[in-house]
């Protein structure tokens, strides 16, 4: 069954999490590790267009708002080693865009194209309190306050081949829920439920985001089907639930996909490339529950000059003289087992756990230890009325190091209005 939905949202987003950034060269090291808090006004536009022959998603999002953080700061070189406690506050703006397309050339086989880009600009007041140790061992205090700015951007892309299908179950869920609630004791066949779900799909898929839909007119079509096809008396109270059920796609099925990918980021490592394999299995258990499982493996690689370059040598000249380009590569796995519980047509609970092991390969010359990372998570989404929404997400990252996953909490709360 097809699922088409265009949604415009505006509201407020609160984020709390840990951020980490490090840049190393032969002679310098810059390191930041901080807990950050962001409160922003968000504008976003989302499109889901899930058809038999194609499944595509399109997202645009813009955020602006106050930003604050505290943590550790290091800026060291051969001249001096500077370490300080850092706190900052300012304004953060971000822009995100993403497009995903799965094109089916038969019922099961498809090609995949997934591209996204993002940018973030921070303007903030940075306060440092620490010490500086120069090359002679002399210690001087650091007590600085300065206005700083930071611009970060990136681009991700992957393509490949896939087999299988995840089919949206939202309209079938809505049909089943309404019939069970408003006609208790009546047993409906799978065919009757599917026919009702198709009527719901026709109504919702034909909505235009620029033209507000009228629930009363849509209920007239629903009542007409119930009267003429199911030979039942329409129940006016059904309209109270009709304005809900506006979840993101809820899936049923299995799929496997693989292919190459690359990422660009305007900090080292600036260009990462590799390959991925991904398996997804979503089980529609009943109106109330979904079981979701996914497992993926990515092989990532980037190259940088050997760190043994002498200060007096030009790096390009060093490479011409026969120096190798060292390849840094790693394997990362992501296993996610979760459940979704739908208390009614307006609320959804998600909970589960992710296991993220990682392995440094170091150009296959010096394989590092296996890193274990466990991330339990939970989420809650509810529709306060036909327009207002609340979304809550929380996760805690337990790690045995910081090579692949930054440990600590991650929390977000969104309160917004939706036009769809």
């Amino acid at each position: 069954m097809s699922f088409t939905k265009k949604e415009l949202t505006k509201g407020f987003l609160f984020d709390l999490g840990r951020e980490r950034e490090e840049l190393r060269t032969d002679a310098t090291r810059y390191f930041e590790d901080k807990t950050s808090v962001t409160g922003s006004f968000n504008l976003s536009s989302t499109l889901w267009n899930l058809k038999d022959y194609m499944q595509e998603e399109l997202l645009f999002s813009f955020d602006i708002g106050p930003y604050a953080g505290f943590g550790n700061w290091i800026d060291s070189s051969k001249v001096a080693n500077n370490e300080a406690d850092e706190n900052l506050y300012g304004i953060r703006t971000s822009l995100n865009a993403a497009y995903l397309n799965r094109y089916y050339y038969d019922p099961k086989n498809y090609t995949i194209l997934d591209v996204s880009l993002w940018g973030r600009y921070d303007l903030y007041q940075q306060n440092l309190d620490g010490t500086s140790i120069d090359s002679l061992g002399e210690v001087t205090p650091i007590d600085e306050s300065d206005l700083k700015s930071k611009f970060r951007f990136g681009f991700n892309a992957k393509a490949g081949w896939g087999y299988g299908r995840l089919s949206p179950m939202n309209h079938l869920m809505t049909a089943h829920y309404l019939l069970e609630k408003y006609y208790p004791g009546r047993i409906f066949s799978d065919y009757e439920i599917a026919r009702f779900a198709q009527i719901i799909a026709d109504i919702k898929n034909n909505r235009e985001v620029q033209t507000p839909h009228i629930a009363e007119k849509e209920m007239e079509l629903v009542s007409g089907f119930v009267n003429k096809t199911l030979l039942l008396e329409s129940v006016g109270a059904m309209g109270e639930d009709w304005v809900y059920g506006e979840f993101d796609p809820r899936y049923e099925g299995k799929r496997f996909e693989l292919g190459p990918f690359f990422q660009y980021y305007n900090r080292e490592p600036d260009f990462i490339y590799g390959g991925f394999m991904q398996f997804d299995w979503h089980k529609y258990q009943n109106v109330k529950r979904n079981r979701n499982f996914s497992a993926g493996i990515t092989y990532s690689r980037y190259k940088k000059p050997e760190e043994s370059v002498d200060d007096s040598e030009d790096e390009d000249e060093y490479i011409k003289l026969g120096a190798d380009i060292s390849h840094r590569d790693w394997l990362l796995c992501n296993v996610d087992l979760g459940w979704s519980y739908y208390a009614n047509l307006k609320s959804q609970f998600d909970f589960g756990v992710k296991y993220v092991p990682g392995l440094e390969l170091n150009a296959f010359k010096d394989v590092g230890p296996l890193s274990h990372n466990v991330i339990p998570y939970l989420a809650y989404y509810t529709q306060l009325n036909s327009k207002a929404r609340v979304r809550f997400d929380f996760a805690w990252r337990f790690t045995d190091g910081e090579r692949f996953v930054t440990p600590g909490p991650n929390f977000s709360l969104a309160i917004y209005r939706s036009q769809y």
Side-chain angles (χ1 to χ4, degrees), residues 184-208:
R186 167 72 185 269
I187 299 176
F188 295 94
S189 67
D190 292 342
Y191 175 75
E192 289 175 318
I193 297 173
R195 285 285 306 277
F196 189 29
Q198 187 59 58
I199 295 299
I200 295 173
D202 293 341
I203 295 172
K204 292 192 174 185
N205 291 348
N206 289 325
R207 288 172 174 170
E208 293 292 338

PDB file of all heavy atoms in Angstrom, residues 184-208:
ATOM      1  N   PRO A 184     -17.123  -2.890  18.361  1.00  0.00           N
ATOM      2  CA  PRO A 184     -16.687  -4.015  19.194  1.00  0.00           C
ATOM      3  C   PRO A 184     -17.623  -5.218  19.014  1.00  0.00           C
ATOM      4  O   PRO A 184     -18.834  -5.077  18.847  1.00  0.00           O
ATOM      5  CB  PRO A 184     -16.770  -3.453  20.617  1.00  0.00           C
ATOM      6  CG  PRO A 184     -17.766  -2.341  20.538  1.00  0.00           C
ATOM      7  CD  PRO A 184     -17.605  -1.759  19.168  1.00  0.00           C
ATOM      8  N   GLY A 185     -17.007  -6.388  19.018  1.00  0.00           N
ATOM      9  CA  GLY A 185     -17.789  -7.609  18.866  1.00  0.00           C
ATOM     10  C   GLY A 185     -17.961  -8.049  17.433  1.00  0.00           C
ATOM     11  O   GLY A 185     -18.267  -9.220  17.166  1.00  0.00           O
ATOM     12  N   ARG A 186     -17.775  -7.133  16.486  1.00  0.00           N
ATOM     13  CA  ARG A 186     -17.881  -7.484  15.072  1.00  0.00           C
ATOM     14  C   ARG A 186     -16.520  -7.992  14.576  1.00  0.00           C
ATOM     15  O   ARG A 186     -15.497  -7.350  14.809  1.00  0.00           O
ATOM     16  CB  ARG A 186     -18.326  -6.269  14.263  1.00  0.00           C
ATOM     17  CG  ARG A 186     -18.178  -6.415  12.759  1.00  0.00           C
ATOM     18  CD  ARG A 186     -19.195  -7.367  12.154  1.00  0.00           C
ATOM     19  NE  ARG A 186     -18.931  -7.565  10.739  1.00  0.00           N
ATOM     20  CZ  ARG A 186     -19.462  -6.842   9.763  1.00  0.00           C
ATOM     21  NH1 ARG A 186     -20.282  -5.842  10.043  1.00  0.00           N
ATOM     22  NH2 ARG A 186     -19.178  -7.111   8.494  1.00  0.00           N
ATOM     23  N   ILE A 187     -16.517  -9.120  13.919  1.00  0.00           N
ATOM     24  CA  ILE A 187     -15.288  -9.689  13.375  1.00  0.00           C
ATOM     25  C   ILE A 187     -15.173  -9.290  11.909  1.00  0.00           C
ATOM     26  O   ILE A 187     -16.068  -9.592  11.113  1.00  0.00           O
ATOM     27  CB  ILE A 187     -15.258 -11.218  13.525  1.00  0.00           C
ATOM     28  CG1 ILE A 187     -15.320 -11.601  15.014  1.00  0.00           C
ATOM     29  CG2 ILE A 187     -14.003 -11.795  12.871  1.00  0.00           C
ATOM     30  CD1 ILE A 187     -15.391 -13.094  15.248  1.00  0.00           C
ATOM     31  N   PHE A 188     -14.080  -8.626  11.574  1.00  0.00           N
ATOM     32  CA  PHE A 188     -13.853  -8.180  10.208  1.00  0.00           C
ATOM     33  C   PHE A 188     -12.816  -9.077   9.532  1.00  0.00           C
ATOM     34  O   PHE A 188     -11.822  -9.479  10.146  1.00  0.00           O
ATOM     35  CB  PHE A 188     -13.357  -6.734  10.187  1.00  0.00           C
ATOM     36  CG  PHE A 188     -14.369  -5.744  10.698  1.00  0.00           C
ATOM     37  CD1 PHE A 188     -14.367  -5.348  12.027  1.00  0.00           C
ATOM     38  CD2 PHE A 188     -15.329  -5.217   9.845  1.00  0.00           C
ATOM     39  CE1 PHE A 188     -15.288  -4.433  12.504  1.00  0.00           C
ATOM     40  CE2 PHE A 188     -16.257  -4.300  10.312  1.00  0.00           C
ATOM     41  CZ  PHE A 188     -16.247  -3.910  11.646  1.00  0.00           C
ATOM     42  N   SER A 189     -13.033  -9.368   8.275  1.00  0.00           N
ATOM     43  CA  SER A 189     -12.075 -10.177   7.519  1.00  0.00           C
ATOM     44  C   SER A 189     -10.879  -9.320   7.123  1.00  0.00           C
ATOM     45  O   SER A 189     -10.939  -8.087   7.132  1.00  0.00           O
ATOM     46  CB  SER A 189     -12.736 -10.744   6.261  1.00  0.00           C
ATOM     47  OG  SER A 189     -13.049  -9.692   5.351  1.00  0.00           O
ATOM     48  N   ASP A 190      -9.802  -9.991   6.765  1.00  0.00           N
ATOM     49  CA  ASP A 190      -8.621  -9.261   6.303  1.00  0.00           C
ATOM     50  C   ASP A 190      -8.942  -8.439   5.059  1.00  0.00           C
ATOM     51  O   ASP A 190      -8.408  -7.343   4.873  1.00  0.00           O
ATOM     52  CB  ASP A 190      -7.486 -10.246   5.999  1.00  0.00           C
ATOM     53  CG  ASP A 190      -6.946 -10.916   7.254  1.00  0.00           C
ATOM     54  OD1 ASP A 190      -7.187 -10.393   8.352  1.00  0.00           O
ATOM     55  OD2 ASP A 190      -6.283 -11.967   7.129  1.00  0.00           O
ATOM     56  N   TYR A 191      -9.823  -8.957   4.216  1.00  0.00           N
ATOM     57  CA  TYR A 191     -10.198  -8.252   3.000  1.00  0.00           C
ATOM     58  C   TYR A 191     -10.931  -6.952   3.333  1.00  0.00           C
ATOM     59  O   TYR A 191     -10.674  -5.904   2.727  1.00  0.00           O
ATOM     60  CB  TYR A 191     -11.064  -9.143   2.123  1.00  0.00           C
ATOM     61  CG  TYR A 191     -11.590  -8.458   0.889  1.00  0.00           C
ATOM     62  CD1 TYR A 191     -10.752  -8.201  -0.195  1.00  0.00           C
ATOM     63  CD2 TYR A 191     -12.929  -8.063   0.803  1.00  0.00           C
ATOM     64  CE1 TYR A 191     -11.231  -7.555  -1.327  1.00  0.00           C
ATOM     65  CE2 TYR A 191     -13.408  -7.416  -0.325  1.00  0.00           C
ATOM     66  CZ  TYR A 191     -12.556  -7.175  -1.383  1.00  0.00           C
ATOM     67  OH  TYR A 191     -13.040  -6.530  -2.503  1.00  0.00           O
ATOM     68  N   GLU A 192     -11.852  -6.999   4.292  1.00  0.00           N
ATOM     69  CA  GLU A 192     -12.598  -5.796   4.677  1.00  0.00           C
ATOM     70  C   GLU A 192     -11.670  -4.752   5.284  1.00  0.00           C
ATOM     71  O   GLU A 192     -11.795  -3.554   4.996  1.00  0.00           O
ATOM     72  CB  GLU A 192     -13.697  -6.171   5.663  1.00  0.00           C
ATOM     73  CG  GLU A 192     -14.843  -6.958   5.049  1.00  0.00           C
ATOM     74  CD  GLU A 192     -15.858  -7.407   6.088  1.00  0.00           C
ATOM     75  OE1 GLU A 192     -15.422  -7.853   7.183  1.00  0.00           O
ATOM     76  OE2 GLU A 192     -17.067  -7.331   5.809  1.00  0.00           O
ATOM     77  N   ILE A 193     -10.745  -5.201   6.127  1.00  0.00           N
ATOM     78  CA  ILE A 193      -9.798  -4.256   6.731  1.00  0.00           C
ATOM     79  C   ILE A 193      -8.918  -3.633   5.656  1.00  0.00           C
ATOM     80  O   ILE A 193      -8.655  -2.420   5.663  1.00  0.00           O
ATOM     81  CB  ILE A 193      -8.946  -4.969   7.801  1.00  0.00           C
ATOM     82  CG1 ILE A 193      -9.838  -5.467   8.949  1.00  0.00           C
ATOM     83  CG2 ILE A 193      -7.870  -4.038   8.339  1.00  0.00           C
ATOM     84  CD1 ILE A 193      -9.110  -6.323   9.968  1.00  0.00           C
ATOM     85  N   ALA A 194      -8.475  -4.447   4.699  1.00  0.00           N
ATOM     86  CA  ALA A 194      -7.626  -3.929   3.623  1.00  0.00           C
ATOM     87  C   ALA A 194      -8.384  -2.933   2.751  1.00  0.00           C
ATOM     88  O   ALA A 194      -7.817  -1.922   2.311  1.00  0.00           O
ATOM     89  CB  ALA A 194      -7.096  -5.089   2.791  1.00  0.00           C
ATOM     90  N   ARG A 195      -9.682  -3.209   2.483  1.00  0.00           N
ATOM     91  CA  ARG A 195     -10.487  -2.269   1.696  1.00  0.00           C
ATOM     92  C   ARG A 195     -10.632  -0.936   2.420  1.00  0.00           C
ATOM     93  O   ARG A 195     -10.516   0.142   1.804  1.00  0.00           O
ATOM     94  CB  ARG A 195     -11.876  -2.871   1.448  1.00  0.00           C
ATOM     95  CG  ARG A 195     -11.943  -3.972   0.421  1.00  0.00           C
ATOM     96  CD  ARG A 195     -11.843  -3.434  -1.008  1.00  0.00           C
ATOM     97  NE  ARG A 195     -12.833  -2.403  -1.301  1.00  0.00           N
ATOM     98  CZ  ARG A 195     -14.097  -2.645  -1.663  1.00  0.00           C
ATOM     99  NH1 ARG A 195     -14.527  -3.902  -1.777  1.00  0.00           N
ATOM    100  NH2 ARG A 195     -14.914  -1.646  -1.933  1.00  0.00           N
ATOM    101  N   PHE A 196     -10.868  -0.993   3.711  1.00  0.00           N
ATOM    102  CA  PHE A 196     -10.992   0.224   4.503  1.00  0.00           C
ATOM    103  C   PHE A 196      -9.660   0.967   4.534  1.00  0.00           C
ATOM    104  O   PHE A 196      -9.610   2.203   4.425  1.00  0.00           O
ATOM    105  CB  PHE A 196     -11.461  -0.127   5.917  1.00  0.00           C
ATOM    106  CG  PHE A 196     -11.819   1.074   6.758  1.00  0.00           C
ATOM    107  CD1 PHE A 196     -12.298   2.248   6.187  1.00  0.00           C
ATOM    108  CD2 PHE A 196     -11.684   1.030   8.134  1.00  0.00           C
ATOM    109  CE1 PHE A 196     -12.638   3.342   6.965  1.00  0.00           C
ATOM    110  CE2 PHE A 196     -12.021   2.122   8.925  1.00  0.00           C
ATOM    111  CZ  PHE A 196     -12.488   3.284   8.341  1.00  0.00           C
ATOM    112  N   ALA A 197      -8.558   0.227   4.654  1.00  0.00           N
ATOM    113  CA  ALA A 197      -7.235   0.853   4.665  1.00  0.00           C
ATOM    114  C   ALA A 197      -6.969   1.567   3.344  1.00  0.00           C
ATOM    115  O   ALA A 197      -6.334   2.636   3.321  1.00  0.00           O
ATOM    116  CB  ALA A 197      -6.165  -0.193   4.938  1.00  0.00           C
ATOM    117  N   GLN A 198      -7.447   1.017   2.235  1.00  0.00           N
ATOM    118  CA  GLN A 198      -7.237   1.650   0.939  1.00  0.00           C
ATOM    119  C   GLN A 198      -8.008   2.960   0.836  1.00  0.00           C
ATOM    120  O   GLN A 198      -7.522   3.942   0.256  1.00  0.00           O
ATOM    121  CB  GLN A 198      -7.651   0.703  -0.190  1.00  0.00           C
ATOM    122  CG  GLN A 198      -7.306   1.215  -1.577  1.00  0.00           C
ATOM    123  CD  GLN A 198      -5.811   1.454  -1.741  1.00  0.00           C
ATOM    124  OE1 GLN A 198      -5.013   0.546  -1.572  1.00  0.00           O
ATOM    125  NE2 GLN A 198      -5.438   2.689  -2.080  1.00  0.00           N
ATOM    126  N   ILE A 199      -9.217   3.001   1.406  1.00  0.00           N
ATOM    127  CA  ILE A 199      -9.979   4.257   1.439  1.00  0.00           C
ATOM    128  C   ILE A 199      -9.205   5.308   2.234  1.00  0.00           C
ATOM    129  O   ILE A 199      -9.094   6.473   1.825  1.00  0.00           O
ATOM    130  CB  ILE A 199     -11.368   4.018   2.063  1.00  0.00           C
ATOM    131  CG1 ILE A 199     -12.203   3.098   1.176  1.00  0.00           C
ATOM    132  CG2 ILE A 199     -12.089   5.347   2.284  1.00  0.00           C
ATOM    133  CD1 ILE A 199     -12.476   3.637  -0.213  1.00  0.00           C
ATOM    134  N   ILE A 200      -8.662   4.904   3.390  1.00  0.00           N
ATOM    135  CA  ILE A 200      -7.875   5.838   4.218  1.00  0.00           C
ATOM    136  C   ILE A 200      -6.649   6.317   3.447  1.00  0.00           C
ATOM    137  O   ILE A 200      -6.305   7.508   3.467  1.00  0.00           O
ATOM    138  CB  ILE A 200      -7.471   5.154   5.538  1.00  0.00           C
ATOM    139  CG1 ILE A 200      -8.720   4.850   6.370  1.00  0.00           C
ATOM    140  CG2 ILE A 200      -6.499   6.022   6.326  1.00  0.00           C
ATOM    141  CD1 ILE A 200      -8.451   4.022   7.610  1.00  0.00           C
ATOM    142  N   ALA A 201      -5.977   5.389   2.739  1.00  0.00           N
ATOM    143  CA  ALA A 201      -4.803   5.762   1.947  1.00  0.00           C
ATOM    144  C   ALA A 201      -5.175   6.760   0.856  1.00  0.00           C
ATOM    145  O   ALA A 201      -4.445   7.745   0.628  1.00  0.00           O
ATOM    146  CB  ALA A 201      -4.173   4.516   1.342  1.00  0.00           C
ATOM    147  N   ASP A 202      -6.291   6.527   0.168  1.00  0.00           N
ATOM    148  CA  ASP A 202      -6.710   7.444  -0.890  1.00  0.00           C
ATOM    149  C   ASP A 202      -6.946   8.848  -0.350  1.00  0.00           C
ATOM    150  O   ASP A 202      -6.591   9.848  -0.985  1.00  0.00           O
ATOM    151  CB  ASP A 202      -7.979   6.928  -1.569  1.00  0.00           C
ATOM    152  CG  ASP A 202      -7.741   5.646  -2.354  1.00  0.00           C
ATOM    153  OD1 ASP A 202      -6.573   5.366  -2.675  1.00  0.00           O
ATOM    154  OD2 ASP A 202      -8.726   4.928  -2.629  1.00  0.00           O
ATOM    155  N   ILE A 203      -7.547   8.931   0.824  1.00  0.00           N
ATOM    156  CA  ILE A 203      -7.837  10.240   1.422  1.00  0.00           C
ATOM    157  C   ILE A 203      -6.548  10.944   1.814  1.00  0.00           C
ATOM    158  O   ILE A 203      -6.314  12.109   1.480  1.00  0.00           O
ATOM    159  CB  ILE A 203      -8.763  10.077   2.645  1.00  0.00           C
ATOM    160  CG1 ILE A 203     -10.127   9.556   2.211  1.00  0.00           C
ATOM    161  CG2 ILE A 203      -8.890  11.398   3.393  1.00  0.00           C
ATOM    162  CD1 ILE A 203     -11.047   9.190   3.369  1.00  0.00           C
ATOM    163  N   LYS A 204      -5.681  10.244   2.541  1.00  0.00           N
ATOM    164  CA  LYS A 204      -4.481  10.890   3.078  1.00  0.00           C
ATOM    165  C   LYS A 204      -3.435  11.148   1.999  1.00  0.00           C
ATOM    166  O   LYS A 204      -2.732  12.168   2.048  1.00  0.00           O
ATOM    167  CB  LYS A 204      -3.904  10.028   4.207  1.00  0.00           C
ATOM    168  CG  LYS A 204      -4.797   9.977   5.449  1.00  0.00           C
ATOM    169  CD  LYS A 204      -4.077   9.372   6.636  1.00  0.00           C
ATOM    170  CE  LYS A 204      -4.921   9.468   7.893  1.00  0.00           C
ATOM    171  NZ  LYS A 204      -4.202   9.001   9.100  1.00  0.00           N
ATOM    172  N   ASN A 205      -3.314  10.245   1.044  1.00  0.00           N
ATOM    173  CA  ASN A 205      -2.307  10.437   0.006  1.00  0.00           C
ATOM    174  C   ASN A 205      -2.625  11.593  -0.927  1.00  0.00           C
ATOM    175  O   ASN A 205      -1.725  12.127  -1.587  1.00  0.00           O
ATOM    176  CB  ASN A 205      -2.144   9.156  -0.818  1.00  0.00           C
ATOM    177  CG  ASN A 205      -1.502   8.027  -0.028  1.00  0.00           C
ATOM    178  OD1 ASN A 205      -0.974   8.237   1.063  1.00  0.00           O
ATOM    179  ND2 ASN A 205      -1.534   6.820  -0.577  1.00  0.00           N
ATOM    180  N   ASN A 206      -3.882  11.982  -0.989  1.00  0.00           N
ATOM    181  CA  ASN A 206      -4.287  13.068  -1.878  1.00  0.00           C
ATOM    182  C   ASN A 206      -4.293  14.431  -1.198  1.00  0.00           C
ATOM    183  O   ASN A 206      -4.693  15.429  -1.806  1.00  0.00           O
ATOM    184  CB  ASN A 206      -5.678  12.779  -2.459  1.00  0.00           C
ATOM    185  CG  ASN A 206      -5.638  11.648  -3.472  1.00  0.00           C
ATOM    186  OD1 ASN A 206      -4.671  11.497  -4.208  1.00  0.00           O
ATOM    187  ND2 ASN A 206      -6.690  10.841  -3.500  1.00  0.00           N
ATOM    188  N   ARG A 207      -3.871  14.496   0.040  1.00  0.00           N
ATOM    189  CA  ARG A 207      -3.814  15.787   0.727  1.00  0.00           C
ATOM    190  C   ARG A 207      -2.723  16.670   0.113  1.00  0.00           C
ATOM    191  O   ARG A 207      -1.699  16.184  -0.352  1.00  0.00           O
ATOM    192  CB  ARG A 207      -3.512  15.582   2.212  1.00  0.00           C
ATOM    193  CG  ARG A 207      -4.669  15.008   3.015  1.00  0.00           C
ATOM    194  CD  ARG A 207      -4.204  14.657   4.419  1.00  0.00           C
ATOM    195  NE  ARG A 207      -5.304  14.220   5.281  1.00  0.00           N
ATOM    196  CZ  ARG A 207      -5.139  13.681   6.480  1.00  0.00           C
ATOM    197  NH1 ARG A 207      -3.912  13.492   6.949  1.00  0.00           N
ATOM    198  NH2 ARG A 207      -6.183  13.325   7.204  1.00  0.00           N
ATOM    199  N   GLU A 208      -2.948  17.976   0.153  1.00  0.00           N
ATOM    200  CA  GLU A 208      -1.962  18.953  -0.271  1.00  0.00           C
ATOM    201  C   GLU A 208      -1.596  19.809   0.930  1.00  0.00           C
ATOM    202  O   GLU A 208      -2.479  20.329   1.619  1.00  0.00           O
ATOM    203  CB  GLU A 208      -2.503  19.836  -1.398  1.00  0.00           C
ATOM    204  CG  GLU A 208      -2.739  19.101  -2.708  1.00  0.00           C
ATOM    205  CD  GLU A 208      -1.433  18.650  -3.344  1.00  0.00           C
ATOM    206  OE1 GLU A 208      -0.373  19.251  -3.013  1.00  0.00           O
ATOM    207  OE2 GLU A 208      -1.464  17.708  -4.161  1.00  0.00           O
TER     208      GLU A 208
END
